[in-house]
């Protein structure tokens, strides 16, 4: 009798285990199938990207023309609302030295907008069970010289690390190393392990925006996936989202970055920025894209092609003390949170002559994209555009409130 009960119990346990396993496998298969592109995706995307200049928003067109003429904005602009492009335009030069005009499909170095993609990749790896937010960096890089730094602290810039850009630049100059050949994330990690630079502060003490957090996350993506960052992004983000004009270009992989848009610095076309060894590390920067592909990125984040909504909820949650009561940083995204106001996630970018802002109003389904290749303050003059679109003004100085004040946390 006891034997029969035992056999029955084992059989039931086996059935339950098998059923659970089958359910998990079925859910996994459904999730994987959802990420596969279908022929109808291309058709839907082409409709989304259709633009009839005769139906453009004339107010926005006049606003952008004024921004170009009065404030010297040079770059590409797109505004979309509820799945329809209401304005797009290319203003100025791609490369002033050769008098090449920008085209609507020109690829720009996205600078720190890249961080949103790295955050997406990390959350994908968490969903796949290959990574935990509480994993310590030393799990992947045992020689990492700092204690207590986890993935969860890197994502919202709470690691306390120093900025590797200045640290590496100083070493390369003092030791007269090759400043033309790009260095890899692994090489930066090796230098940090060897030199052990002093951190900015203790882990999880304050929000301190700097590129080191996302350079390390880029290195972790490579370590965990077994792929180069460029390969991972192409297979798991760009292709699923139909982003056919988006690439990771690292000077560690390319002697010359194969795009025609040149960054110009100091608000002067005389200062064309030449790429160097610091254009090698990726994750904090290094993705090149177009205004149209960034619209597709928004679409496929919204429809759970790239991440589950639960993961996006985590990514869009502020993890620091809000600046002026409204502005915060989550897992790869800056954000605006206001009581009774729209939820907005965005990111700015500033690197080697490029200056951008990519804004997504999640409530009104509005996307605002300014990709510029002339560094100046033109993007500080967008208040009237936000008002026209009836969305929050995405500029910290436009608000006063509780929390920290605007400071040196900008990229």
């Amino acid at each position: 009798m006891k034997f029969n009960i035992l056999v029955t119990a084992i059989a039931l346990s086996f059935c339950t285990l098998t059923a659970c396993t089958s359910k998990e496998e079925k859910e996994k298969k459904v999730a994987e199938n959802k990420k596969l592109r279908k022929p109808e995706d291309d058709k839907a995307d082409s409709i989304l990207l259709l633009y009839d200049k005769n139906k453009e928003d004339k107010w926005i067109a006049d606003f952008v023309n004024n921004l170009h003429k009065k404030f010297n904005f040079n770059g590409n602009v797109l505004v979309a609302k509820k799945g329809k492009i209401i304005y797009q335009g290319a203003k100025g030069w791609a490369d002033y030295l050769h008098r090449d005009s920008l085209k609507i499909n020109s690829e720009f170095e996205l600078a720190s907008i890249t961080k949103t993609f790295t955050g997406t990749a990390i959350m994908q790896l968490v969903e796949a069970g290959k990574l935990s937010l509480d994993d310590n960096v030393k799990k992947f890089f045992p020689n990492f010289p700092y204690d207590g730094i986890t993935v969860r602290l890197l994502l919202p810039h709470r690691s306390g690390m120093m900025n590797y850009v200045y640290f590496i630049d100083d070493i390369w100059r003092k030791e007269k190393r090759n400043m033309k050949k790009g260095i890899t994330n692994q090489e930066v990690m090796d230098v940090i392990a060897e030199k052990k630079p002093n951190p900015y502060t203790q882990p999880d003490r304050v929000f301190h925006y700097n590129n080191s957090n996302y350079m390390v996350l880029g290195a972790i993506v490579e370590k965990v996936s077994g792929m180069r960052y460029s390969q991972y992004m192409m297979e798991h983000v760009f292709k699923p989202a139909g982003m056919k004009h988006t690439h990771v270009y690292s000077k560690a992989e390319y002697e010359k970055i194969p795009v025609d848009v040149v960054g110009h610095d100091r608000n002067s076309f005389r200062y064309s920025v030449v790429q160097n060894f610091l254009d090698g590390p990726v994750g904090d920067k290094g993705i090149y894209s177009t205004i149209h592909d960034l619209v597709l990125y928004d679409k496929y984040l919204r429809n759970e092609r790239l991440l589950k909504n639960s993961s996006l909820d985590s990514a869009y949650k502020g993890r620091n003390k809000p600046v002026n009561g409204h502005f915060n940083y989550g897992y790869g995204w800056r954000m605006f949170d206001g009581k009774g106001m729209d939820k907005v996630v965005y990111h700015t970018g500033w690197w080697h002559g490029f200056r951008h802002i990519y804004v997504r109003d999640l409530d009104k389904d509005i996307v605002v994209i300014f990709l510029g290749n002339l560094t100046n303050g033109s993007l500080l003059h967008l208040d009237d555009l936000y008002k026209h679109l009836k969305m929050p003004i995405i500029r910290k100085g436009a608000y006063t409130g509780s929390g920290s004040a605007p400071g040196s946390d900008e990229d």
Side-chain angles (χ1 to χ4, degrees), residues 157-389:
H157 297 281
R158 298 188 65 85
S159 72
M161 289 183 68
M162 76 302 153
N163 195 326
Y164 85 91
V165 172
Y166 306 122
F167 169 69
I168 293 292
D169 184 66
D170 187 55
I171 291 175
W172 256 241
R173 292 180 187 280
K174 285 180 179 178
E175 298 182 3
K176 293 182 170 55
R177 300 195 189 188
N178 185 350
M179 300 184 74
K180 292 184 178 180
K181 180 176 172 52
I183 56 177
T184 66
N185 291 53
Q186 181 62 60
E187 287 174 315
V188 176
M189 296 297 286
D190 291 341
V191 173
I192 290 175
E194 176 192 351
K195 303 289 186 179
K196 300 177 177 60
N198 291 328
Y200 171 77
T201 188
Q202 296 175 347
D204 204 23
R205 182 170 171 267
V206 294
F207 169 70
H208 176 58
Y209 182 97
N210 82 75
N211 286 329
S212 293
N213 296 291
Y214 279 76
M215 181 281 299
V216 174
L217 288 170
I220 290 174
V221 169
E222 294 187 325
K223 183 74 72 171
V224 172
S225 68
M227 307 167 73
R228 293 197 307 273
Y229 180 86
S230 57
Q231 293 174 310
Y232 182 91
M233 287 296 171
M234 183 59 71
E235 294 303 318
H236 295 274
V237 181
F238 306 156
K239 283 185 178 179
M243 300 172 70
K244 299 174 182 177
H245 306 286
T246 303
H247 308 85
V248 176
Y249 289 134
S250 163
K251 278 283 285 181
E253 295 183 36
Y254 293 84
E255 185 175 344
K256 183 182 184 304
I257 305 298
V259 296
D260 298 325
V261 182
V262 175
H264 304 84
D265 211 352
R266 307 182 214 177
N267 197 23
S268 172
F269 283 115
R270 289 182 298 166
Y271 296 98
S272 297
V273 180
V274 178
Q275 292 143 347
N276 62 18
F277 66 105
L278 288 171
D279 290 287
V282 292
D284 54 327
K285 52 185 167 37
I287 291 180
Y288 288 68
S289 190
T290 67
I291 52 175
H292 289 148
D293 272 15
L294 288 176
V295 172
L296 295 177
Y297 182 39
D298 168 75
K299 170 185 174 178
Y300 287 102
L301 282 170
R302 285 177 178 275
N303 69 7
E304 293 191 276
R305 170 69 58 85
L306 299 178
L307 283 173
K308 297 176 183 176
N309 282 335
S310 56
S311 295
L312 289 173
D313 288 342
S314 293
Y316 300 158
K317 181 180 179 180
R319 306 287 170 170
N320 302 284
K321 183 185 291 186
V323 173
N324 281 355
H326 292 292
F327 295 88
N328 215 318
Y329 203 101
Y331 291 165
W333 292 93
R334 294 182 181 276
M335 66 201 59
F336 176 94
D337 269 317
K339 188 175 181 180
M341 303 174 76
D342 295 357
K343 172 79 170 186
V344 178
V345 295
Y346 71 103
H347 217 294
T348 49
W350 188 354
W351 177 255
H352 281 185
F354 290 95
R355 195 76 170 99
H356 319 306
I357 188 166
Y358 176 46
V359 181
R360 303 169 58 223
D361 186 320
L362 301 180
D363 291 328
K364 286 194 172 71
D365 192 5
I366 296 174
V367 182
V368 177
I369 307 167
F370 282 80
L371 301 182
N373 64 324
L374 177 61
T375 300
N376 55 35
S378 59
L379 297 185
L380 296 175
H381 301 279
L382 304 183
D383 292 18
D384 287 342
L385 173 62
Y386 297 130
K387 290 176 183 176
H388 174 73
L389 294 168

